[in-house]
Amino acid sequence: MTAEALPFPAVDLQRCRSAEDCCTPVLDTGSPTKFKFQSHLPLRVRQPANSVDAAYAAKIQKGYELMRALPDSDGRSLKNQAKLHCAYCDNNFYFAGNEHPLEIHQSWLFLPWHRMFVYFHERILAHLLEDDTFALPFWYWDDTSAESDSGNRLPKLYAEQSVYGANGNTSSLYDGDRNACAQRPNIVDLVDPFVGCVANKSDAVLRRENAHLMYTHMVTGAVTPSLFFGQPYRFGDKGGVGGGTLEVKPHGPVHLWVNIVKMLTNKLSASDPIFFAHHANVDRLWTVWKTLPGGIRKDIADPDYLHTEFTYYNEHGKLVVASIGQSLDITNLRYEYAKVATPWITGAADANESTITSSSWPFCNTASPSSLTTMFQTTEPFRSGLSLFAEPVSFKVRRKAKSGAWSRRDTEEVLQVKGTMNWTLPMSFNAFVNFPEAVVANGSLQGCREYVGSFVASPHEGSSPEIPGRLHWRVALRHKLRDLGAEVFGELVVTLVPALSPNQTIALTSAKILHIRS
């Protein structure tokens, strides 16, 4: 950390340093203007992409046709929108006096940067269409219904080559590189995206696992802002300090499930139009999270967070600088989301969170009390040097004694695991408490009460080579331990199960239980 904490200043797009041709043209040599709220705009309602009508489909197709037709010298073109994402997300911006490049992922910057990126993308489309009422759709992939046109399938709007009879031409929303398993009517796999094409899970299993993943990462595992948004990241810090639960899963798996050729990489992610519908849903879930009970699910108020600034292209192709503080209230940005069902929240009811429970999920460890005692006795405490590769690893961590501070409503018991890894290779694991036998199902046991969370990382090929990839993973435990009846134990057995074919090693350096308040 730097001695003096500072927010990130807005980047100068002309200082982009990319070996992957990710730098956008900067023809506007004047100073970027400061973003101002456009209070005169109509309030736009983003709708679920799976339920839009033919008139809307024709309009958004036209918008992307116009965006694709813009010259390469225009920062508003789809090609340059993808480049802007790559420039920010593959460590291509350096600052004077700071040895480390800016990193948008794996920290508290992830959600606000993408919110404003999608916002300006939407405004560009509206300007090209000459329609200030235009709003992007959101891909409602957290839908767990069984209906044929439910949001958990790739929306017809994006899936078909010629949606609603576009004169036989290829739809501007279609991308031929999308995965075979992502084609309709297949249901998105938020749990095991790397193996979803061959896992042959039934629709019922997928919906059940998706619901439990959403419940775990949005409700029980993300009680505090730092767990949900990710770790603080200030000017002078190395990136990769630790992503939030939403960024890790379900956000990451959707990228991997839908388009490995493009959306598995930061370089090409935003070249597939489904990227923006996907991130609109990520943005919607940010708004949903703040409505959950408990009283501490709030936006971050740290000045270094609020005053961090980013540079974008606005609807006129001019450079504009927006701060994170300007992104927090979407009513100021003149958009909102259509109301849709969130069945994965069911059971997380009252204001004190006293009824948050996954009691509908089964115990998968059916061992007797004496067997549990043996499990604690025979499992070795965590030691630095453990490696997670092809086989699961189990270790024991000690819980801190309860205290007056621990029992505060704004204090959360958190499992933290750290390690080093190679960001250019994918990695995913699922974590379980007091269930070392999770290995029998290769970790795909999100329906078990013992499941506490997951980690996933997609290749990060643009990362500065001198910066090693770092695992810094956190997840809340308090509600899960109560569901398990494990609050009485002074220690826990943690099992990490790789959810991929072996392709890299995570060298685990620490694992501990923390009590945090933010």
Side-chain angles (χ1 to χ4, degrees):
M1 297 291 290
T2 54
E4 180 183 5
L6 292 171
F8 280 91
V11 300
D12 180 350
L13 296 190
Q14 296 185 81
R15 294 176 63 88
C16 174
R17 294 163 49 183
S18 174
E20 297 184 293
D21 189 29
C22 288
C23 299
T24 61
V26 184
L27 302 180
D28 181 3
T29 57
S31 298
T33 60
K34 295 290 186 178
F35 173 66
K36 294 182 180 179
F37 295 125
Q38 297 175 293
S39 57
H40 66 281
L41 291 176
L43 184 64
R44 308 178 304 282
V45 181
R46 294 179 178 174
Q47 302 288 340
N50 59 299
S51 61
V52 299
D53 60 21
Y56 179 86
K59 177 173 288 189
I60 190 173
Q61 283 184 84
K62 181 63 175 177
Y64 273 97
E65 287 172 12
L66 295 170
M67 182 177 277
R68 288 181 183 276
L70 291 173
D72 290 349
S73 59
D74 193 323
R76 301 173 300 170
S77 71
L78 185 60
K79 180 177 180 179
N80 282 319
Q81 291 286 286
K83 282 189 172 185
L84 187 63
H85 179 267
C86 176
Y88 268 104
C89 297
D90 259 357
N91 306 119
N92 294 308
F93 289 120
Y94 286 78
F95 299 92
N98 187 354
E99 63 176 311
H100 308 302
L102 177 65
E103 169 58 77
I104 293 301
H105 293 97
Q106 294 295 318
S107 78
W108 66 8
L109 300 187
F110 170 77
L111 285 174
W113 186 89
H114 284 84
R115 169 172 282 180
M116 294 307 292
F117 182 49
V118 172
Y119 167 81
F120 284 113
H121 188 82
E122 179 180 76
R123 293 295 301 133
I124 291 168
L125 288 168
H127 183 76
L128 294 174
L129 290 166
E130 300 180 345
D131 181 4
D132 279 338
T133 68
F134 175 80
L136 278 166
F138 61 92
W139 178 13
Y140 176 33
W141 36 253
D142 56 299
D143 184 5
T144 54
S145 70
E147 297 177 6
S148 59
D149 283 325
S150 59
N152 51 35
R153 294 171 171 84
L154 187 66
K156 179 181 178 183
L157 176 65
Y158 291 86
E160 296 190 358
Q161 278 191 272
S162 183
V163 180
Y164 299 111
N167 300 320
N169 297 323
T170 299
S171 167
S172 58
L173 303 177
Y174 177 77
D175 193 300
D177 288 326
R178 293 180 190 143
N179 303 336
C181 62
Q183 305 306 311
R184 291 171 62 86
N186 295 329
I187 290 177
V188 63
D189 190 340
L190 302 180
V191 173
D192 298 307
F194 294 96
V195 299
C197 290
V198 297
N200 198 28
K201 299 178 186 177
S202 69
D203 286 358
V205 168
L206 282 168
R207 289 195 302 272
R208 185 182 71 240
E209 289 194 347
N210 288 349
H212 202 200
L213 185 281
M214 291 298 300
Y215 172 80
T216 301
H217 275 234
M218 286 288 293
V219 183
T220 63
V223 179
T224 70
S226 65
L227 291 170
F228 181 72
F229 292 100
Q231 293 298 294
Y233 175 43
R234 311 176 199 277
F235 187 78
D237 293 348
K238 289 183 180 180
V241 291
T245 55
L246 175 57
E247 178 186 357
V248 172
K249 278 189 176 182
H251 156 259
V254 177
H255 274 265
L256 306 174
W257 181 81
V258 71
N259 192 333
I260 289 178
V261 173
K262 291 177 178 171
M263 289 180 67
L264 185 59
T265 70
N266 289 315
K267 178 180 179 179
L268 298 173
S269 279
S271 63
D272 185 340
I274 196 65
F275 171 96
F276 297 95
H278 166 41
H279 273 274
N281 198 49
V282 171
D283 186 64
R284 178 186 72 86
L285 291 171
W286 176 358
T287 70
V288 171
W289 177 81
K290 290 196 293 184
T291 69
L292 299 179
I296 56 175
R297 288 184 170 95
K298 299 176 181 178
D299 284 320
I300 296 167
D302 188 304
D304 291 334
Y305 178 78
L306 298 177
H307 296 146
T308 285
E309 295 181 322
F310 306 118
T311 306
Y312 301 93
Y313 290 97
N314 70 8
E315 62 266 39
H316 304 292
K318 300 295 184 180
L319 298 179
V320 60
V321 170
S323 70
I324 287 180
Q326 290 176 301
S327 74
L328 302 187
D329 186 346
I330 63 173
T331 59
N332 288 332
L333 301 175
R334 304 301 297 152
Y335 73 89
E336 63 181 7
Y337 288 97
K339 302 298 182 185
V340 293
T342 50
W344 44 265
I345 296 176
T346 301
D350 76 86
N352 292 324
E353 293 189 320
S354 61
T355 61
I356 289 183
T357 177
S358 57
S359 58
S360 60
W361 307 103
F363 290 100
C364 293
N365 187 351
T366 58
S368 65
S370 61
S371 296
L372 288 175
T373 300
T374 301
M375 177 188 70
F376 288 124
Q377 292 174 341
T378 58
T379 303
E380 293 291 328
F382 178 86
R383 66 183 187 281
S384 182
L386 281 176
S387 292
L388 182 63
F389 179 55
E391 298 297 327
V393 296
S394 293
F395 50 83
K396 190 164 53 181
V397 292
R398 184 170 295 280
R399 297 175 68 204
K400 294 184 179 180
K402 289 188 177 182
S403 65
W406 189 95
S407 63
R408 291 172 57 106
R409 209 177 81 183
D410 62 352
T411 301
E412 181 60 43
E413 186 170 6
V414 172
L415 170 64
Q416 175 181 277
V417 178
K418 291 186 177 183
T420 59
M421 57 187 293
N422 185 343
W423 279 120
T424 67
L425 297 172
M427 181 63 200
S428 181
F429 64 75
N430 299 315
F432 301 83
V433 166
N434 296 348
F435 185 36
E437 291 78 11
V439 301
V440 300
N442 196 29
S444 297
L445 290 168
Q446 277 66 21
C448 296
R449 286 204 206 186
E450 293 85 357
Y451 167 68
V452 296
S454 299
F455 172 80
V456 64
S458 59
H460 207 63
E461 296 176 359
S463 292
S464 182
E466 68 270 18
I467 299 179
R470 291 185 291 169
L471 168 68
H472 188 158
W473 180 71
R474 287 181 171 184
V475 69
L477 292 178
R478 181 159 52 99
H479 295 294
K480 287 284 187 172
L481 296 182
R482 186 181 62 204
D483 289 347
L484 287 169
E487 292 176 299
V488 298
F489 299 134
E491 51 194 6
L492 301 172
V493 171
V494 176
T495 299
L496 305 181
V497 185
L500 295 177
S501 298
N503 56 3
Q504 78 151 298
T505 299
I506 295 181
L508 301 174
T509 56
S510 72
K512 63 179 66 174
I513 301 294
L514 307 175
H515 291 162
I516 64 174
R517 292 182 56 190
S518 62

